[in-house]
Amino acid sequence: MELNIRIPDHTSAIFDYLQKGQFVCSNSCSESVRDMYDMIDDDYDALSLFFSQIGYTLERGNEYFYFSRTEPRATLEQKILRAYYWIDVLDLFKTYDETFGAGFRFQPEQILVEANINATLQNKLDGMRKHFSDRDVRKEVLDNIIRLLVKESFIELENEKNNTYKVLSSWHYLERLIESIQIYDDTEEDNEKPE
């Protein structure tokens, strides 16, 4: 059976960007990424079908696109450790500012200043050392977190002069990941059992 789909222009550039594990966000600081978002949005069905034929799944999120991929079976322990990391990252930034999310702008220096007066934030930032090196000071830990968030395309450097970062729409992916975790309370069942 022959598929007859129109391959949109710039499919190669879209593929090159997405196959690196990057998100294409509608609110990116980069005009070329925003243009790419519009191209994908306009031709989502055709691109989704085309990419599926070459073994990639084009996923649509809340104002972002990404490739999901079938990875070799990772151990359960690796997946749990990765989930713990993202939970800790979201917890850290929500402790800093509960409105932290897509579109939020921040400067790492502000977080460090706030950590000096907010003991809860200070403890959470210190707790992030377990994901890096216990020898790292808070600034190094925060720098490592920011570097990874930029690399994973969850935030972008918006203004190099004043070191301002912008949270991208792909942040919703992390929030959705955390929201999908189901925790059941066994105490309710225990309370209902007759003694």
Side-chain angles (χ1 to χ4, degrees):
M1 181 175 150
E2 184 180 317
L3 289 176
N4 192 4
I5 60 172
R6 183 185 71 77
I7 307 292
D9 294 339
H10 308 293
T11 298
S12 176
I14 292 168
F15 177 79
D16 287 343
Y17 190 84
L18 288 172
Q19 65 94 18
K20 294 175 186 168
Q22 301 292 302
F23 289 86
V24 174
C25 300
S26 65
N27 70 338
S28 174
C29 298
S30 165
E31 185 177 349
S32 64
V33 174
R34 289 191 311 269
D35 289 345
M36 199 179 308
Y37 175 88
D38 291 337
M39 287 184 270
I40 296 171
D41 195 42
D42 292 344
D43 289 313
Y44 177 76
D45 292 334
L47 286 167
S48 183
L49 184 59
F50 174 76
F51 290 136
S52 71
Q53 297 301 308
I54 59 172
Y56 289 85
T57 303
L58 180 62
E59 301 280 357
R60 178 192 298 264
N62 185 1
E63 297 293 312
Y64 62 91
F65 295 102
Y66 67 100
F67 276 154
S68 64
R69 51 187 172 240
T70 305
E71 298 175 6
R73 293 241 179 240
T75 66
L76 183 58
E77 184 178 335
Q78 289 171 324
K79 288 181 180 182
I80 290 171
L81 290 174
R82 192 74 174 150
Y84 278 145
Y85 173 75
W86 290 120
I87 290 168
D88 287 346
V89 167
L90 261 66
D91 187 36
L92 171 73
F93 286 107
K94 287 291 188 179
T95 299
Y96 167 65
D97 188 320
E98 63 187 35
T99 64
F100 196 96
F104 191 89
R105 288 167 173 82
F106 70 97
Q107 295 168 321
E109 297 79 21
Q110 295 170 326
I111 296 172
L112 293 172
V113 168
E114 181 68 21
N116 286 330
I117 57 175
N118 179 333
T120 304
L121 182 61
Q122 185 178 87
N123 291 336
K124 293 191 185 290
L125 189 53
D126 289 343
M128 292 299 292
R129 288 180 179 161
K130 67 185 174 217
H131 298 292
F132 302 103
S133 168
D134 289 336
R135 296 183 310 270
D136 286 348
V137 295
R138 284 186 195 120
K139 182 181 180 341
E140 291 171 350
V141 170
L142 187 58
D143 287 347
N144 286 333
I145 294 167
I146 302 247
R147 218 177 350 271
L148 186 58
L149 287 170
V150 168
K151 179 181 177 227
E152 299 282 338
S153 64
F154 292 116
I155 64 174
E156 284 181 344
L157 181 61
E158 182 177 52
N159 186 324
E160 197 170 340
K161 266 187 185 172
N162 63 11
N163 201 31
T164 300
Y165 288 85
K166 179 180 181 181
V167 181
L168 300 177
S169 301
S170 51
W171 192 262
H172 294 296
Y173 176 86
L174 292 177
E175 293 173 332
R176 208 176 87 223
L177 174 75
I178 304 309
E179 289 169 1
S180 70
I181 298 171
Q182 299 292 322
I183 299 174
Y184 298 99
D185 187 3
D186 291 341
T187 57
E188 289 178 13
E189 292 176 13
D190 293 342
N191 290 338
E192 295 173 3
K193 291 180 185 173
E195 294 189 27

